[in-house]
């Protein structure tokens, strides 16, 4: 374990907005995330019921998506971990850059996602798109009270031979199905 060198106390979480559900295919595209979102535009409203760390249900029909917008500031450039409760499909963009794209297929239980956000100093904008495939609602959770630690695993040294190709595979031991996602968005492999 490695404690992140960050200052979560320097983050001021501001207003949260939600866009009304709309018919949408989940294709991994959040339109308009490169620009500042106009929360006064049609469909957006302040989400006054939202509380960090509390799961909320949003009624919607099959094949609909909602967008949730978090506006906040950071007193410095830093990495911070947050936990998200997810739907059938979830996409997260921070300041216009995709951070997470995940779909759940049959047989895979939904688990909350802990993701690392690289914040810039000043204003930040987090957009979360939640997709509902078959149910009558999606549940959304954003928990900012997460242990700020990263995990490391140092592997035993192995001999590599010059001029040869060496394969490296990361696999789940017992996946629910062939499409199972390992959920390792922040994995980094370092060679010495």
């Amino acid at each position: 374990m490695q404690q992140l060198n960050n200052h979560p106390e320097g983050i001021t979480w501001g207003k949260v907005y939600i866009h009304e559900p709309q018919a949408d295919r989940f294709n991994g595209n959040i339109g308009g995330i490169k620009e500042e979102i106009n929360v006064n535009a049609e469909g957006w409203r302040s989400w006054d019921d939202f509380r960090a760390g509390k799961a909320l249900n949003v009624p919607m029909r099959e094949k609909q998506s909602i967008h949730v917008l978090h506006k906040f500031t950071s007193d410095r450039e830093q990495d911070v971990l947050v936990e998200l409760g997810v739907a059938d499909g979830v996409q997260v963009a921070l300041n216009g850059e995709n951070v997470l794209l995940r779909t759940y297929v049959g047989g895979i239980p939904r688990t909350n996602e802990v993701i690392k956000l690289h914040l810039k100093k000043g204003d930040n904008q987090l957009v979360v798109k939640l997709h509902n495939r078959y149910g009558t609602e999606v549940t959304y959770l954003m928990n900012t009270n997460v242990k700020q630690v990263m995990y490391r695993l140092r592997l035993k040294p192995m001999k590599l031979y010059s001029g040869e190709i060496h394969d490296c595979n990361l696999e789940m031991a017992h996946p629910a199905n062939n499409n199972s996602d390992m959920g390792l968005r922040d994995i980094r492999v370092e060679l010495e």
Side-chain angles (χ1 to χ4, degrees):
M1 275 192 322
Q2 175 184 350
Q3 184 72 31
L4 282 180
N5 183 17
N6 63 5
H7 186 249
E9 299 81 12
I11 301 169
T12 303
W13 293 94
K15 291 201 74 148
V16 177
Y17 300 88
I18 187 169
H19 193 280
E20 63 188 32
Q22 52 195 10
D24 189 18
R25 288 185 359 197
F26 188 74
N27 58 9
N29 181 31
I30 297 181
I33 60 172
K34 295 285 185 194
E35 301 86 29
E36 184 73 15
I37 291 177
N38 178 5
V39 295
N40 296 315
E42 187 177 340
W44 285 101
R45 67 175 171 83
S46 177
W47 197 4
D48 298 327
D49 295 340
F50 177 82
R51 299 290 176 268
K54 178 184 173 195
L56 291 169
N57 294 326
V58 179
M60 57 196 303
R61 293 190 308 270
E62 293 179 3
K63 308 286 190 276
Q64 284 190 323
S65 294
I66 61 166
H67 291 78
V68 179
L69 169 64
H70 297 266
K71 291 188 168 212
F72 57 99
T73 59
S74 178
D75 67 354
R76 66 193 70 187
E77 183 177 348
Q78 63 178 316
D79 291 331
V80 65
L81 299 175
V82 297
E83 177 185 27
L84 291 176
V86 298
D88 294 336
V90 63
Q91 184 176 8
V92 179
L94 175 65
N95 300 322
E97 299 297 324
N98 285 318
V99 177
L100 171 68
L101 175 62
R102 176 107 189 232
T103 60
Y104 285 90
V105 293
I108 299 177
R110 284 154 185 74
T111 59
N112 291 351
E113 299 277 347
V114 175
I115 60 173
K116 182 171 71 171
L117 303 175
H118 183 74
L119 308 182
K120 63 183 181 180
K121 182 178 180 179
D123 294 336
N124 290 270
Q125 175 176 277
L126 183 72
V127 180
V128 180
K129 178 180 181 178
L130 301 170
H131 184 70
N132 177 37
R133 285 194 178 150
Y134 305 109
T136 57
E137 64 184 17
V138 293
T139 302
Y140 181 64
L141 165 86
M142 162 70 129
N143 183 8
T144 59
N145 188 20
V146 176
K147 283 175 56 174
Q148 299 294 306
V149 294
M150 299 286 289
Y151 295 89
R152 298 178 78 123
L153 174 64
R154 187 171 197 84
L155 301 175
K156 296 176 188 174
M158 60 176 44
K159 182 84 171 155
L160 300 178
Y161 300 97
S162 177
E164 293 190 22
I165 297 174
H166 299 83
D167 293 330
C168 176
N169 293 323
L170 295 172
E171 300 176 348
M172 292 179 74
H174 304 286
N177 63 45
N178 290 337
N179 297 316
S180 294
D181 181 351
M182 288 180 61
L184 298 174
R185 269 144 299 291
D186 294 319
I187 191 166
R188 188 174 75 207
V189 177
E190 296 178 0
L191 301 175
E192 296 177 348

